[in-house]
Amino acid sequence: MNAKFFTLSDEKPMPPKGENRMDAIKINNLTKYYGKVCGIDNVALTVSKGEFFGFIGPNGAGKSTTIRTLLGLIRPTSGSASVFDMDIINDKEKILALVGYLPSEALFYPGMRVRELIKFSADLRKKNCQAAAARLCERLQLDTSRKVEDLSFGNRKKAAIICALQHEPDLLILDEPTSGLDPLMQKEFFDILRERNKAGATIFLSSHILSEIQQNCSRAAIIREGRIIACDSVEALSKTNAKRVNIQGTVDLGHLCGVRDLQKSDMGMNFLYSGDMNTLLSTLSTGDIQDLSIAEPDLEEIFLHYYEDGGAK
Amino acid sequence: MTIVKHELKQGLVSFAIWTASITLLMMVCVFLFPEIKGEMDTMGDIFASMGSFTAAFGMDRLNFGTLVGFYAIECGNVIGLGGAFFASLIGISSLSKEEKGRTAEFLLTHPVSRTHIISEKLISVLLQIIVMNVVILAFSLGSMAAIGEAIPWKEVLLLHLAYFLLQVELASICFGFSAFLRRGSIGVGLGIAAMMYFLNLIANMTESMEFLKFITPFGYCDGADIVDSGKLDMTLIAIGILFTFAGIFTAFSKYRRKDIQ
């Protein structure tokens, strides 16, 4: 897992450099209440142009609310946001012309064929995207002569992907894009995303699948109960002071402070450690250890750490 | 006009079934007339002695033995009810179906303003009503010619005009409601249409309830009034047009700011 992470990290697009770069997304203290229920609370976030940005959080944390506000589907209770320096309320149509959106749950009009749906989407954008659509259909292996209501969940997702990508948008907003896609298709899909990103498109990927974020994104934000609790580069997010310690052999950890997520097996044990290193080493030296590894925890573990601690950091 | 085209395509089957059904019933009614005319001597007394029901359908003032009298009552009920139900149905589902079918997220994330979407949806509703009425009128006139009766042009055209305005009014009122609804829209639409129809029956039966005619669009569609006076009641129609615009205005002001689920 970690090895894979490090090899892939070299290929990851770097965050754009330069001072006067326009922000693709800028969210200022955005708050949305559904009646008395809080959707998001004071969310502030900036995504630079050309970034591959991850947006992490479990179901119901406010990911979709944030996205739907950006797209003008719902109006914020307070706060503001802009996309490519355009206001999300006043310049909504101009923004939507530059955005491709992939909803988490892709549902379409009954009775339409896939090809009609793709054409309808292009017509609404007043664009001719036939060539791009045909290329995408071939790469994703989608039969365009079928009726949308006969499609499986995964194939509906493919149709939605084509509608979101065919006009070659400058900003792609993806809400849990891979659910329903088989692993081969997921790979193809992320290949396409990386190509688009290299060509200059900004990608905003909302997901609760951390490996997706870790393998593709340069920066990420973590949202919890409507609040952003962390926002940094994926590497920095992974680099907390906690380490994953893996031991083969026996040792009495005794009163060692900072041990979490302790898992024991016949062969040994492993745990997350965030205490003093010297204390750890001296404790370990008292035991009978055949093998030892101390590594950075992966994002999955960081994520749990953020959630278990209630985001207090 | 992308959305108009899309809407018409989506509604084509339902439109075809409603139009065909109403047209067919109208034709059957007209083709029944020669037989009714022959039996009118005996039936006249029966129709005249049904008490308030006679008044409810205007049969106390219209002569069932003439084509225009028969047409105003029988066909008036067919196109009145059928047209009202269809108009309410397409009006009420026009906006609400996007959220009900969860397609709003797809449609509204394209670079098209909500004002634009509402306008095109409204146009498609009106277009369906117009085409439906033209088809019904054409086949009704054809049937009258086929049974060899002289066509009472003025009365027939006035009746059809009144029913057309009624459908536009009901569709617009329902269109206004449609902006608020997410589920259960069809029931609301049919309910509004049925309520308006019965309000008119009550207004016809009870004098103290005559004010109801100012509320229901069926008030200006009364066959007996139209045939009697040879014109439409412009006061009632003006009120109807007010309701129409109120419905459309409501739809725009609500849907433009609505949080979409």
Side-chain angles (χ1 to χ4, degrees), chain B residues 64-84:
Chain B
F64 232 55
T66 62
L67 178 62
V68 71
F70 175 78
Y71 192 80
I73 295 170
E74 284 301 314
C75 302
N77 271 323
V78 172
I79 190 179
L81 266 181

Side-chain angles (χ1 to χ4, degrees), chain B residues 11-28:
Chain B
L12 187 64
V13 174
S14 160
F15 169 80
I17 291 173
W18 279 92
T19 307
S21 309
I22 298 173
T23 307
L24 211 69
L25 275 171
M26 294 287 278
M27 289 171 69
V28 168

Side-chain angles (χ1 to χ4, degrees), chain A residues 173-188:
Chain A
I173 297 182
L174 315 162
D175 196 355
E176 293 173 14
T178 50
S179 59
L181 292 182
D182 65 54
L184 277 175
M185 276 304 135
Q186 289 189 19
K187 189 187 165 296
E188 187 65 41

Side-chain angles (χ1 to χ4, degrees), chain B residues 51-58 60-61 77 191-219 222:
Chain B
S52 47
F53 276 101
T54 314
F57 295 100
D60 49 343
R61 286 176 291 156
N77 271 323
I192 291 174
M195 187 190 72
M196 293 297 195
Y197 180 76
F198 285 112
L199 285 184
N200 183 55
L201 290 191
I202 295 169
N204 273 345
M205 283 191 287
T206 337
E207 260 176 49
S208 60
M209 290 290 178
E210 245 174 64
F211 69 91
L212 289 175
K213 280 206 182 268
F214 290 101
I215 299 171
T216 165
F218 284 95
D222 196 291

